[in-house]
Amino acid sequence: MNFKSIFFLLSLMLTFSCKSEAEKRAEETASRNSIIDSTISQFQKKLLTEQIDSVFSRYHFNGSVAVIKSDEILYEKHNGFENFETQKKLDTSSVFAIASLSKQFTAVLVLLQEEQGKLNTNDQVSQYLTAFQGNQFKNITIKELLNHTSGISDFGDGLLSEPGKEFHYSNKGFRLLGQIIEKVSGKSYDENVTVLFAKAGMINSSTATSFKGSNLAGAHTGNADNAQKVQNMPKRLAEASISVPAGGILSTVNDLHRWNTALYNGKILKPETLNKFSAKSSERNHQILGKMDYGFGIMMNIGKPNAYFHTGYVKGAPSLLIYYPESQTSAIILSNIADEMKGKNAVFNPHKEIKRITDAIQNTVIDLRKEMIKSDLEK
């Protein structure tokens, strides 16, 4: 055997040896991370159970709450009634009116049309809706509808501010976005969003006009001892004062986690489009949760932890959906009763408390994981 052949064999052996060492290190790292993640998950479950259970007890909360990390349920509880008349209990199949959580679905549908070249979010709305031509609304853009800076009022025909200048939350703006989606796609809003549900794996979601199930949690006012059913649910959500694109989607705890997972892991939008959806484009001073950043139909924490979320409220049905991208964790809080006599802030006290809990735990576990990995590496 000549020198070249010996050198080649030695090089080959060294390559396999290095590869083996690299694989060994990768396996050790994976094993270490798995142990750390399992330990942290048990810690999270204990904290979530103690703290969220106390919220249920303190507020006599009638609703469903789940905290789900990827495919692992960290916390889940369904308390109270789906139907107060028959006293049918809430469970995983209960379908809730999710109100303004619907807006993120509408925003994504707009962005999907943009990906197909059928519109541009910088386009003027007047290009698509003739009612906007030749009046004070002429220069309003699709983007300004998406981030609530159009100035359009829900309660009058005038503008509350110059387009693009100030944040004014507008259900009417999202109803108009629904009309644009229908115009450029040539399909109804229901047809578009049903395809989106399927793409996200949402098997128990529908709209106010397409719901055919028997497990609607509905909406009620008052309290559990004196619940008053909100009539004409869910069809009333399709009325112009609310509208399906702004607040008429129906869903379940598990479907909303499926939505978060599909959306933020790139299964719905292209990466650059997802960035546009979730990037700060306006600021909101929320009457319940305080100051926050706003993207396209989605809110974001200012500071840590990194979180995407939105509240929802239609008469008798308050909701909150949160996603923590760093840990791929959803927190879903849905209810079908609201004591409006106490005011909206009080109605959302359980939701606000649970967000405070999940925000704090999220910050803790992220820092804890970093410290545990660092400590293990230094051994």
Side-chain angles (χ1 to χ4, degrees):
M1 185 179 289
N2 59 33
F3 176 77
K4 286 185 178 179
S5 298
I6 294 171
F7 180 77
F8 174 76
L9 287 172
L10 287 172
S11 299
L12 200 61
M13 290 171 64
L14 184 60
T15 299
F16 282 126
S17 175
C18 290
K19 184 179 179 182
S20 177
E21 287 298 318
E23 287 177 342
K24 185 178 178 182
R25 284 195 297 272
E27 288 174 359
E28 289 174 350
T29 299
S31 177
R32 177 200 67 206
N33 289 349
S34 178
I35 293 169
I36 289 172
D37 288 340
S38 177
T39 303
I40 290 174
S41 288
Q42 294 307 310
F43 170 71
Q44 280 182 278
K45 288 176 181 178
K46 186 175 186 298
L47 279 181
L48 289 166
T49 299
E50 290 175 354
Q51 296 188 32
I52 299 180
D53 276 359
S54 72
V55 174
F56 271 95
S57 299
R58 190 158 61 253
Y59 294 103
H60 307 289
F61 184 65
N62 191 103
S64 294
V65 175
V67 181
I68 310 171
K69 178 181 178 182
S70 298
D71 295 325
E72 183 181 9
I73 297 172
L74 300 176
Y75 180 90
E76 184 174 13
K77 186 168 185 174
H78 308 275
N79 183 67
F81 300 118
E82 176 183 293
N83 186 315
F84 286 87
E85 293 177 355
T86 64
Q87 296 201 330
K88 180 184 178 184
K89 292 187 178 295
L90 290 165
D91 58 30
T92 55
S93 65
S94 297
V95 177
F96 292 82
I98 64 169
S100 286
L101 306 189
S102 306
K103 288 180 172 67
Q104 59 196 279
F105 292 86
T106 299
V108 168
L109 287 175
V110 169
L111 292 169
L112 286 169
Q113 297 303 317
E114 184 173 48
E115 286 186 349
Q116 296 171 39
K118 294 181 180 180
L119 58 76
N120 189 295
T121 50
N122 291 318
D123 289 341
Q124 293 178 346
V125 176
S126 56
Q127 290 181 227
Y128 305 95
L129 302 180
T130 55
F132 273 55
Q133 295 171 1
N135 59 29
Q136 60 183 328
F137 304 115
K138 183 179 180 181
N139 295 323
I140 292 173
T141 65
I142 292 173
K143 177 182 177 180
E144 289 161 354
L145 294 181
L146 287 164
N147 66 13
H148 299 284
T149 61
S150 68
I152 290 175
S153 169
D154 280 347
F155 306 106
D157 296 326
L159 289 177
L160 297 171
S161 63
E162 183 182 342
K165 296 296 184 182
E166 297 178 10
F167 185 100
H168 295 286
Y169 193 78
S170 175
N171 285 317
K172 186 187 292 184
F174 271 75
R175 174 162 57 84
L176 294 167
L177 288 170
Q179 293 174 14
I180 293 171
I181 291 164
E182 292 183 332
K183 186 175 182 67
V184 302
S185 69
K187 298 177 182 178
S188 70
Y189 182 89
D190 274 18
E191 288 175 299
N192 279 286
V193 81
T194 299
V195 171
L196 184 56
F197 292 153
K199 197 170 184 179
M202 301 171 70
I203 56 178
N204 296 305
S205 298
S206 60
T207 70
T209 50
S210 66
F211 178 73
K212 292 182 174 63
S214 60
N215 49 351
L216 179 68
H220 304 79
T221 57
N223 55 54
D225 296 324
N226 185 30
Q228 303 297 313
K229 185 177 180 180
V230 176
Q231 298 301 314
N232 199 29
M233 283 290 289
K235 290 183 179 179
R236 68 179 297 269
L237 304 178
E239 295 171 1
S241 59
I242 301 172
S243 82
V244 173
I249 287 175
L250 311 172
S251 195
T252 65
V253 162
N254 288 332
D255 264 11
L256 289 172
H257 176 60
R258 292 184 184 108
W259 165 251
N260 275 346
T261 301
L263 176 61
Y264 294 106
N265 285 279
K267 294 181 180 178
I268 307 294
L269 297 171
K270 296 175 182 177
E272 60 272 22
T273 312
L274 180 59
N275 287 340
K276 179 182 282 192
F277 166 81
S278 59
K280 174 187 175 181
S281 60
S282 59
E283 295 179 353
R284 181 181 188 185
N285 193 359
H286 195 279
Q287 66 181 99
I288 296 160
L289 299 177
K291 291 184 178 180
M292 60 192 62
D293 293 334
Y294 204 93
F296 287 175
I298 197 71
M299 309 175 195
M300 294 87 76
N301 278 347
I302 297 174
K304 293 182 178 181
N306 186 14
Y308 303 108
F309 59 96
H310 212 290
T311 52
Y313 188 78
V314 290
K315 188 178 184 68
S319 56
L320 174 61
L321 176 64
I322 312 167
Y323 186 71
Y324 300 102
E326 289 175 90
S327 63
Q328 299 185 332
T329 300
S330 296
I332 309 112
I333 307 111
L334 305 176
S335 181
N336 61 338
I337 188 167
D339 193 344
E340 294 186 332
M341 295 294 290
K342 294 181 177 179
K344 191 175 284 188
N345 214 316
V347 165
F348 273 93
N349 273 339
H351 305 68
K352 185 166 57 175
E353 287 238 8
I354 292 170
K355 184 178 185 295
R356 180 188 59 77
I357 290 165
T358 56
D359 275 4
I361 291 176
Q362 179 71 8
N363 275 332
T364 299
V365 298
I366 288 172
D367 291 343
L368 181 61
R369 190 175 192 275
K370 290 176 182 176
E371 286 301 314
M372 290 176 75
I373 290 172
K374 181 181 176 182
S375 176
D376 190 69
L377 290 172
E378 289 175 349
K379 287 180 181 177

